[in-house]
Amino acid sequence: MTAPADVSPPVTVAASNADTAVTAPGVMTRSPGAWHRAGALTAIILWGLSFVATKAALREISPITLIFTRFAIGSALLVSLLAVRRQPLVPPRDTWASLALMGFVGVFVHQVVQSYGLT
């Protein structure tokens, strides 16, 4: 199947700013710059340090206490972020089942296995 003759693929053209690109038909997009790489590096470092911090915390508290504390802090931060952005705190009802399953398997089970594995 071929594209219609009047539709051309996007063409990237370098803009005057080295951190910005123009894609046809004139849409400005930011290319990853130093700030993006610094943010990614920061996330990698914090993620790596979380295992060390978890191991140290597990010497003082039980895995369940640690998991509850992490979830409480994370929930408070997410609710605050949603409030600042003026977004609804409750997702649409038709997504509840899939979100609950993903949260249970992808977050809760992972945290329990990790915490007990580091004890």
Side-chain angles (χ1 to χ4, degrees):
M1 179 183 268
T2 60
D6 60 345
V7 177
S8 60
V11 177
T12 302
V13 180
S16 60
N17 183 350
D19 219 16
T20 307
V22 179
T23 57
V27 177
M28 298 290 287
T29 59
R30 283 201 152 291
S31 59
W35 286 108
H36 294 96
R37 287 189 284 281
L41 180 62
T42 301
I44 291 167
I45 290 169
L46 291 175
W47 178 76
L49 288 174
S50 72
F51 292 97
V52 177
T54 299
K55 182 76 171 171
L58 288 171
R59 284 190 231 135
E60 304 295 326
I61 59 177
S62 73
I64 296 299
T65 303
L66 177 64
I67 292 167
F68 177 79
T69 304
R70 289 175 92 167
F71 285 0
I73 293 170
S75 296
L77 288 172
L78 288 175
V79 166
S80 299
L81 181 64
L82 288 172
V84 166
R85 293 176 138 193
R86 299 177 196 265
Q87 293 182 338
L89 297 177
V90 179
R93 190 176 200 90
D94 61 333
T95 63
W96 288 5
S98 60
L99 289 174
L101 180 63
M102 289 186 291
F104 180 75
V105 175
V107 180
F108 178 75
V109 171
H110 163 74
Q111 292 294 320
V112 169
V113 170
Q114 176 184 320
S115 294
Y116 278 103
L118 289 173
T119 55

